[in-house]
Coordinates of all heavy atoms in Angstrom, one line a residue:
Q396 N 104.4 104.8 69.9 CA 105.8 104.7 70.3 C 106.2 103.2 70.5 O 105.4 102.5 71.2 CB 106.1 105.6 71.5 CG 107.6 105.6 71.8 CD 107.9 106.6 72.9 OE1 107.1 107.6 73.2 NE2 109.0 106.5 73.6
E397 N 107.4 102.8 70.1 CA 107.9 101.5 70.4 C 109.4 101.7 70.9 O 110.2 102.4 70.3 CB 107.9 100.7 69.1 CG 106.6 100.4 68.5 CD 106.7 99.5 67.3 OE1 107.8 99.0 67.0 OE2 105.6 99.3 66.6
D398 N 109.6 101.0 72.0 CA 111.0 101.1 72.6 C 111.5 99.7 72.9 O 110.7 98.9 73.5 CB 110.9 101.9 73.9 CG 110.4 103.3 73.7 OD1 111.1 104.0 72.9 OD2 109.4 103.7 74.4
R399 N 112.7 99.4 72.5 CA 113.3 98.1 72.8 C 114.1 98.3 74.1 O 115.0 99.1 74.2 CB 114.2 97.7 71.7 CG 114.9 96.4 72.0 CD 115.8 96.0 70.8 NE 116.7 94.9 71.1 CZ 116.4 93.6 70.9 NH1 115.2 93.3 70.4 NH2 117.3 92.7 71.2
L400 N 113.7 97.5 75.1 CA 114.4 97.6 76.4 C 115.5 96.5 76.5 O 115.2 95.3 76.5 CB 113.4 97.4 77.5 CG 112.2 98.4 77.6 CD1 111.3 98.1 78.8 CD2 112.7 99.8 77.6
V425 N 113.1 93.1 75.7 CA 111.6 93.1 75.4 C 111.3 94.4 74.7 O 112.1 95.3 74.6 CB 110.8 93.1 76.7 CG1 111.0 91.7 77.5 CG2 111.2 94.2 77.7
W426 N 110.1 94.5 74.2 CA 109.6 95.7 73.5 C 108.4 96.3 74.3 O 107.6 95.6 74.8 CB 109.1 95.4 72.1 CG 110.2 95.2 71.1 CD1 110.8 94.0 70.8 CD2 110.7 96.2 70.3 NE1 111.8 94.3 69.9 CE2 111.8 95.6 69.5 CE3 110.5 97.6 70.1 CZ2 112.5 96.3 68.6 CZ3 111.3 98.3 69.2 CH2 112.3 97.6 68.5
R427 N 108.5 97.6 74.5 CA 107.4 98.4 75.1 C 106.7 99.2 74.1 O 107.3 100.0 73.4 CB 107.9 99.3 76.2 CG 106.8 100.1 76.9 CD 107.4 101.1 77.9 NE 107.8 100.5 79.1 CZ 108.9 100.8 79.8 NH1 109.7 101.7 79.3 NH2 109.2 100.2 80.9
L428 N 105.4 99.0 74.0 CA 104.6 99.7 73.0 C 103.7 100.7 73.8 O 103.2 100.4 74.9 CB 103.7 98.7 72.2 CG 104.5 97.6 71.5 CD1 103.5 96.8 70.7 CD2 105.6 98.1 70.7
R429 N 103.4 101.8 73.2 CA 102.6 102.9 73.8 C 101.4 103.2 72.8 O 101.7 103.4 71.6 CB 103.4 104.1 74.2 CG 104.6 103.8 75.0 CD 105.3 105.0 75.5 NE 106.6 104.7 76.2 CZ 107.2 105.6 77.0 NH1 106.7 106.8 77.2 NH2 108.4 105.2 77.5

Side-chain angles (χ1 to χ4, degrees):
Q396 185 173 337
E397 299 183 6
D398 301 302
R399 180 180 169 88
L400 303 183
V425 295
W426 283 88
R427 177 186 286 140
L428 309 183
R429 307 186 188 197

